[in-house]
Amino acid sequence: MELIDTFLNPEIIAASWPLLMQGLWLTVKLAVIIVPLAALLGLVIACLHYQQHRWLNRLILLYVDFFRAFPPLVLLIFIYYGLPFLGVPLNEFSATVLALVLNSSGYFAEIFRAGLESVSPGQNEAARSTGLNARQAMAYVVVPQGVRNVIPDLASNTLEAIKQTSIASAVALPELLRSAQIVQGQTYSQTPLVAAALIYFILLWPLVRVISRMQKPFVIPR
């Protein structure tokens, strides 16, 4: 009984539910903005890399490696607290979007790059032989095939990007985790955090199952 009162208190869940739903809505809003922007930026970077310009590819490599290696939480804190000193103040929402788009775009870029490179060069040459220019061949032939080849990886990275929205609590943006922390401070109970964890699970578990179905299962060799 004490365990239930501490971690699954129904009265506290009922009282905190409106605030948790507000936090969930903000989490969904962040995800809906961050994932498409990061994926689009990653695709543009991958397409530029595909052109094989040496100096440009070096810059792309630096960009991708930097934002993949830089912890997203540290990046968010730097953007939110550091950019105002450079005359670029951002509110909590904008800082979170910028930090996670920059971070996630590095991963999306690597996934798209692998997808584009998996397409046979003959496909591009065949498209050009039909009269398409380089841009049209890229848009109509190479990109669709490359994206199709890495759909499971794209879905997995999308899942990670959604989960990373929880770092917004570091700058007091009232998304789901921050809302749970606020209620926890008011009630001195762990129940709001458990409720937030369950909401995350219910929200993300269907995507996890979809990803699992798209990926091949592990096979133990005999």
Side-chain angles (χ1 to χ4, degrees):
M1 190 65 179
E2 182 179 352
L3 182 65
I4 295 178
D5 288 340
T6 302
F7 295 101
L8 288 172
N9 190 305
E11 294 180 359
I12 294 179
I13 292 178
S16 62
W17 194 252
L19 188 59
L20 291 176
M21 288 299 98
Q22 291 179 13
L24 175 61
W25 163 243
L26 189 53
T27 294
V28 172
K29 186 177 178 181
L30 282 170
V32 168
I33 294 175
I34 290 167
V35 171
L37 287 179
L40 179 60
L41 180 56
L43 179 59
V44 170
I45 293 171
C47 289
L48 291 175
H49 183 274
Y50 189 82
Q51 305 306 315
Q52 297 298 321
H53 296 299
R54 180 178 301 178
W55 63 270
L56 181 58
N57 282 1
R58 289 177 177 175
L59 292 177
I60 290 174
L61 179 63
L62 179 63
Y63 174 94
V64 171
D65 285 352
F66 177 81
F67 285 113
R68 290 176 69 197
F70 209 85
L73 178 59
V74 178
L75 179 62
L76 172 59
I77 293 174
F78 174 78
I79 289 174
Y80 182 68
Y81 293 104
L83 287 187
F85 289 99
L86 301 177
V88 189
L90 295 176
N91 59 30
E92 296 88 348
F93 189 88
S94 299
T96 301
V97 169
L98 178 59
L100 292 183
V101 166
L102 291 175
N103 177 261
S104 297
S105 66
Y107 292 95
F108 275 115
E110 276 295 280
I111 294 172
F112 281 123
R113 179 193 61 78
L116 297 182
E117 291 182 354
S118 70
V119 179
S120 170
Q123 295 288 326
N124 189 33
E125 295 170 2
R128 296 295 301 277
S129 68
T130 63
L132 298 179
N133 58 37
R135 184 176 301 176
Q136 291 171 328
M138 190 74 180
Y140 300 139
V141 178
V142 178
V143 169
Q145 293 185 62
V147 170
R148 185 170 61 248
N149 292 341
V150 291
I151 286 178
D153 296 316
L154 292 173
S156 181
N157 197 60
T158 297
L159 176 65
E160 293 301 317
I162 295 173
K163 289 193 292 185
Q164 283 188 353
T165 58
S166 61
I167 71 171
S169 60
V171 292
L173 186 66
E175 44 71 61
L176 181 56
L177 178 59
R178 178 58 181 171
S179 297
Q181 291 173 336
I182 292 173
V183 180
Q184 180 194 27
Q186 295 172 345
T187 60
Y188 302 101
S189 171
Q190 304 302 319
T191 295
L193 292 179
V194 175
L198 291 175
I199 293 172
Y200 273 118
F201 176 79
I202 294 171
L203 178 67
L204 298 177
W205 182 74
L207 182 57
V208 171
R209 294 308 310 151
V210 170
I211 294 172
S212 297
R213 288 182 176 274
M214 288 190 295
Q215 295 173 332
K216 293 181 180 180
F218 288 105
V219 177
I220 301 176
R222 297 182 178 180

